[in-house]
Amino acid sequence: MTIKDIARLAGCSVGTVSRVLNNHPDVSEAMRKKVMEVVEEQGFQPNTNARHLKMQASSAVALVVKGTSNMLFADLVERTQAMLVGSGEETVVCYLDEDADEVAYAVQLCRERRPKGILFLGGDLENFARGFGQLELPCVLLTNSARELGFPNLSSLTTDDTEAAAQAIEYLLSQGHTRIGILGGSAHISSQIGYSRLQGGLQSLRRHKVEFDLERQYEPCRYSLSEGYAAAQRLLSRCPDLTAVFALSDVMAIGVMRALQDMGRTVPGDVSLMGYDGIAMARYCVPRLATICQDTGRMARRGGEMLLHRIYSQRPAAHELVPFQLIRGESVRPVFPDTERLL
Amino acid sequence: MTIKDIARLAGCSVGTVSRVLNNHPDVSEAMRKKVMEVVEEQGFQPNTNARHLKMQASSAVALVVKGTSNMLFADLVERTQAMLVGSGEETVVCYLDEDADEVAYAVQLCRERRPKGILFLGGDLENFARGFGQLELPCVLLTNSARELGFPNLSSLTTDDTEAAAQAIEYLLSQGHTRIGILGGSAHISSQIGYSRLQGGLQSLRRHKVEFDLERQYEPCRYSLSEGYAAAQRLLSRCPDLTAVFALSDVMAIGVMRALQDMGRTVPGDVSLMGYDGIAMARYCVPRLATICQDTGRMARRGGEMLLHRIYSQRPAAHELVPFQLIRGESVRPVFPDTERLL
DNA sequence: CTGAAAGCGCTTACAG
DNA sequence: CTGAAAGCGCTTACAG
């Protein structure tokens, strides 16, 4: 069944069928009705390949997801896809390893599939700085800011990671903790998301003149349960006297929680624990995880919006911060028993 | 940059370039080398739309995922995609609601994108029975058996759910539990996956002549944390004297665990808990969840293989069972204190 | 082994 | 408002 068959059945030319299908204004009401009738009746769907070949583009929006075991992204993928499908967009999801070069991948993707826009979930600014220049289509980066890069076709949307992490540490300090460990990301790669979080935490510590030995009290870690588990073991065996740990993602934090248990430390009895992200699981684990809740609903909605605005209305790139919320949960407790009544 | 430019640069016709690109045997070694040189040099990628338009198919394999908050599927998606990409296949992932009609969706998808094969993650046999006849491309269903349906182009791969659930209940019985609740899926829709699990559990109970009042001791539930939580509250307030609960998925089970905590019951102190799936989180929650571990690695690998075999070699459809493993975890304990030393 | 040519199913100036 | 026709970038019989 092609446009040709529809034309024959409706008694018109293929051009007219095409115009009806694409909602061109210059078709008579009678003709439009006739054609639509046949189309409905036959359950006709135009061939996407032919359509895109002709239009020199694909109708799909690509979602490039970096880091597969990251449940925050699972949530974002779901919400973003729902938003795009709701706006009549087709969506292609691609999962990349946490360490993959998402921009190089996108360049390849554009050659092969010619999407009309790309939404990056997670991204290393280094990769963008190096390779994004090759990309000319509208793109949006979620969970990192691309403002400094100044690309005209790259918007971004992120939680204020520095500020949020600062508040997380602030909260631990307010509960009397001074021997705090930080775990996650990398201390040396400033283009990655973990870096701003770490810096925010360090700022807070400095502001309160709390000592922090990066070499000892910080442990790098990838975004997975197993890596969080292993990193916690390394951190705690190096610094057994920590009273609190701040993990830069919830998934890691849940790994940490399990590791602490296995080392015979209770949470929050012996060690307090904060995560970052606010994934659903944080509200269901035992104890409930104290965390920074990123607003994935808003990020997905605005991210999709910004992308579509740029695709259809050529709106300029924009960079926004998404509000976050500190969730107290149950995994942090005051270090001095006599402050307990304040809770 | 098109095949025409390459032809000009290589000093041959577009036909020859196409033949080189598609590894046709009837091209001289010299020509092949020359063309490849130009292709590499230009970083040329053929236009997929044109290619597929001509070949009357898309090169992509579609992954249709049913149930978005199901972490088992998240894992399967990742593994399957890795397998397919490793075999040089492009992959498109589509997320559907747990209650959506995946087959109707697939029919639509085929009209729009013409994938060369579809892998269904999760599926309701009812939908397949009703609508799959419209589909002619190779398909594989994971986590449910389509053997009875007898479609020549539909393979399937699943854990023996009935047997696995029977063993789960068997395990609880062996630990002295007789007041067991079952939670998840639906007791009346036999085409859904939860049904076989429920039946397996009931078989075990009957075999051991343990009483089970379906109306009271069973609670239906969708595959999410929050639904598991709510269902556990309903089940336990109706039957406060249960000593064990079997949740038909790990995600539900984790919701149940949290609900039990909030009702002041400890796991496994007051209530023992078994899940089903063997997701990573089951090994990290506190206590570790006793569960049936489905072999997602094997399912993804074999599923991809079966699909590709059918696409490229016309191999007939096949239906296989994937071995499972009962994981004891830490969430089940004997109901009689004096059997405790046996552990 | 290679080239010239038809055609996949669509969209869109160009006439009328 | 409508039709006839060109052309998007490829693949593949068909000749030679």
Side-chain angles (χ1 to χ4, degrees):
Chain A
M1 180 65 54
T2 75
I3 207 179
K4 227 161 140 185
D5 301 301
I6 302 297
R8 186 170 36 75
L9 261 33
C12 67
S13 74
V14 296
T16 301
V17 174
S18 174
R19 280 185 278 262
V20 170
L21 256 20
N22 292 286
N23 288 314
H24 281 221
D26 47 354
V27 182
S28 71
E29 215 23 71
M31 201 71 240
R32 178 184 308 282
K33 225 177 129 202
K34 178 77 193 132
V35 170
M36 282 315 290
E37 240 166 48
V38 178
V39 167
E40 306 269 303
E41 192 184 303
Q42 304 289 325
F44 172 73
Q45 290 286 136
N47 180 314
T48 325
N49 288 133
R51 192 147 200 277
H52 295 162
L53 171 57
K54 189 62 197 174
M55 300 175 73
Q56 300 288 62
S58 141
S59 80
V61 168
L63 250 54
V64 174
V65 186
K66 193 170 172 178
T68 47
S69 18
N70 192 328
M71 290 181 213
L72 180 79
F73 289 162
D75 183 37
L76 273 173
V77 168
E78 196 184 317
R79 290 178 188 271
T80 311
Q81 206 190 234
M83 186 275 173
L84 290 170
V85 167
S87 304
E89 303 294 333
E90 219 188 319
T91 314
V92 175
V93 186
C94 313
Y95 289 92
L96 268 57
D97 187 81
E98 194 180 319
D99 300 323
D101 183 336
E102 66 282 6
V103 179
Y105 182 87
V107 169
Q108 173 79 4
L109 188 74
C110 286
R111 281 206 281 252
E112 287 184 2
R113 297 194 64 84
R114 300 167 211 258
K116 65 176 160 196
I118 300 181
L119 250 154
F120 292 93
L121 302 201
D124 186 327
L125 297 184
E126 186 63 34
N127 295 333
F128 281 80
R130 185 173 349 100
F132 192 82
Q134 295 171 65
L135 257 28
E136 294 181 340
L137 78 178
C139 295
V140 173
L141 170 60
L142 296 189
T143 74
N144 210 153
S145 173
R147 182 187 295 277
E148 304 301 319
L149 267 34
F151 289 112
N153 56 330
L154 178 61
S155 296
S156 66
L157 215 43
T158 183
T159 298
D160 186 340
D161 282 315
T162 313
E163 175 58 23
Q167 288 193 21
I169 290 289
E170 205 78 46
Y171 175 55
L172 290 174
L173 293 171
S174 78
Q175 301 301 302
H177 295 277
T178 52
R179 293 194 305 279
I180 301 174
I182 303 183
L183 178 156
S186 151
H188 304 296
I189 311 182
S190 65
S191 53
Q192 286 176 191
I193 195 178
Y195 188 81
S196 335
R197 296 184 189 169
L198 176 58
Q199 292 311 315
L202 296 179
Q203 265 173 33
S204 255
L205 291 163
R206 270 197 301 275
R207 199 156 47 222
H208 288 266
K209 309 216 189 314
V210 172
E211 234 176 286
F212 188 89
D213 178 355
L214 196 67
E215 293 300 315
R216 294 190 64 243
Q217 292 171 260
Y218 170 74
E219 180 68 32
C221 173
R222 288 160 49 106
Y223 293 77
S224 76
L225 291 165
S226 60
E227 302 256 345
Y229 186 93
Q233 290 186 316
R234 291 193 298 270
L235 180 64
L236 268 290
S237 55
R238 196 164 62 223
C239 302
D241 61 341
L242 296 177
T243 64
V245 172
F246 176 31
L248 300 186
S249 97
D250 285 349
V251 171
M252 290 175 200
I254 291 171
V256 172
M257 204 183 276
R258 184 67 250 180
L260 286 168
Q261 285 284 336
D262 290 348
M263 289 185 278
R265 318 275 201 109
T266 63
V267 177
D270 298 323
V271 180
S272 287
L273 180 60
M274 275 221 67
Y276 194 110
D277 281 346
I279 62 175
M281 190 59 75
R283 300 193 302 275
Y284 286 89
C285 57
V286 182
R288 287 185 174 85
L289 190 61
T291 189
I292 297 293
C293 186
Q294 302 201 62
D295 190 341
T296 51
R298 172 143 168 187
M299 235 184 244
R301 193 162 7 89
R302 277 296 292 152
E305 251 174 50
M306 284 162 81
L307 190 66
L308 298 182
H309 279 161
R310 173 126 196 122
I311 292 173
Y312 296 110
S313 333
Q314 304 285 13
R315 296 260 191 97
H319 304 275
E320 294 180 9
L321 289 178
V322 177
F324 60 89
Q325 212 184 340
L326 191 147
I327 307 289
R328 283 183 164 63
E330 307 166 338
S331 64
V332 173
R333 77 163 200 183
V335 75
F336 301 116
D338 54 317
T339 62
E340 207 143 13
R341 61 192 152 74
L342 294 179
L343 287 183
Chain B
M1 180 66 51
T2 76
I3 207 179
K4 226 160 139 185
D5 301 301
I6 302 297
R8 187 169 38 73
L9 262 30
C12 66
S13 75
V14 297
T16 301
V17 174
S18 174
R19 279 186 277 263
V20 170
L21 256 21
N22 291 287
N23 289 314
H24 281 222
D26 48 355
V27 182
S28 71
E29 214 25 68
M31 203 70 239
R32 179 183 305 282
K33 224 176 129 202
K34 178 79 193 130
V35 170
M36 281 316 288
E37 239 166 50
V38 178
V39 166
E40 305 270 303
E41 191 184 303
Q42 304 290 324
F44 173 72
Q45 290 286 136
N47 180 315
T48 324
N49 288 133
R51 192 147 200 278
H52 295 162
L53 171 56
K54 188 62 196 173
M55 300 175 71
Q56 300 288 59
S58 142
S59 79
V61 168
L63 250 55
V64 174
V65 185
K66 192 166 173 180
T68 47
S69 15
N70 192 329
M71 290 181 214
L72 180 78
F73 289 161
D75 183 37
L76 273 173
V77 167
E78 196 184 316
R79 290 179 189 271
T80 311
Q81 206 192 232
M83 186 276 173
L84 291 170
V85 167
S87 304
E89 303 293 333
E90 220 187 320
T91 314
V92 175
V93 186
C94 312
Y95 289 92
L96 267 58
D97 188 81
E98 193 180 318
D99 299 324
D101 183 337
E102 66 282 5
V103 178
Y105 183 87
V107 169
Q108 173 79 4
L109 188 75
C110 285
R111 281 206 280 253
E112 286 184 2
R113 298 194 64 83
R114 298 164 213 261
K116 64 176 160 198
I118 300 181
L119 249 154
F120 292 93
L121 302 200
D124 186 327
L125 296 184
E126 187 61 35
N127 295 332
F128 281 80
R130 184 171 352 98
F132 193 82
Q134 295 171 66
L135 257 28
E136 295 180 339
L137 78 179
C139 294
V140 173
L141 170 60
L142 296 190
T143 73
N144 210 155
S145 173
R147 181 187 296 275
E148 303 301 320
L149 268 35
F151 288 110
N153 56 330
L154 178 60
S155 297
S156 66
L157 214 43
T158 183
T159 296
D160 185 341
D161 282 316
T162 314
E163 174 59 22
Q167 288 193 20
I169 290 289
E170 205 77 45
Y171 175 55
L172 290 175
L173 293 171
S174 78
Q175 300 301 301
H177 295 277
T178 51
R179 294 194 304 280
I180 300 175
I182 302 183
L183 179 156
S186 152
H188 304 295
I189 310 181
S190 66
S191 54
Q192 287 176 190
I193 193 176
Y195 188 80
S196 337
R197 296 184 189 168
L198 176 57
Q199 293 311 316
L202 295 179
Q203 265 173 33
S204 255
L205 291 164
R206 271 198 301 274
R207 199 156 45 219
H208 288 265
K209 309 216 188 314
V210 172
E211 233 174 289
F212 188 88
D213 177 355
L214 196 67
E215 292 300 316
R216 294 189 66 243
Q217 291 171 260
Y218 170 74
E219 180 68 32
C221 173
R222 288 162 46 106
Y223 293 76
S224 76
L225 290 165
S226 60
E227 301 256 346
Y229 185 94
Q233 290 185 318
R234 291 193 299 270
L235 179 63
L236 268 290
S237 54
R238 197 165 61 225
C239 303
D241 61 342
L242 297 176
T243 65
V245 172
F246 175 32
L248 301 185
S249 97
D250 286 349
V251 170
M252 290 174 198
I254 291 171
V256 173
M257 204 183 275
R258 184 68 250 180
L260 287 168
Q261 284 285 336
D262 290 349
M263 289 184 279
R265 317 274 200 109
T266 63
V267 177
D270 299 322
V271 180
S272 287
L273 181 60
M274 275 222 64
Y276 193 111
D277 281 347
I279 61 174
M281 189 60 75
R283 300 193 303 275
Y284 286 88
C285 57
V286 182
R288 287 185 175 86
L289 190 62
T291 190
I292 297 292
C293 186
Q294 302 203 61
D295 190 342
T296 52
R298 173 142 167 187
M299 234 183 245
R301 195 164 3 89
R302 277 296 291 153
E305 252 174 49
M306 284 162 81
L307 190 66
L308 298 183
H309 279 161
R310 172 125 196 123
I311 293 173
Y312 296 111
S313 330
Q314 304 285 14
R315 296 261 191 95
H319 304 276
E320 294 180 8
L321 289 178
V322 178
F324 61 89
Q325 211 185 341
L326 191 147
I327 307 289
R328 285 184 161 64
E330 308 165 338
S331 64
V332 173
R333 75 163 201 183
V335 76
F336 301 116
D338 54 317
T339 62
E340 208 143 12
R341 62 192 152 74
L342 295 180
L343 288 183

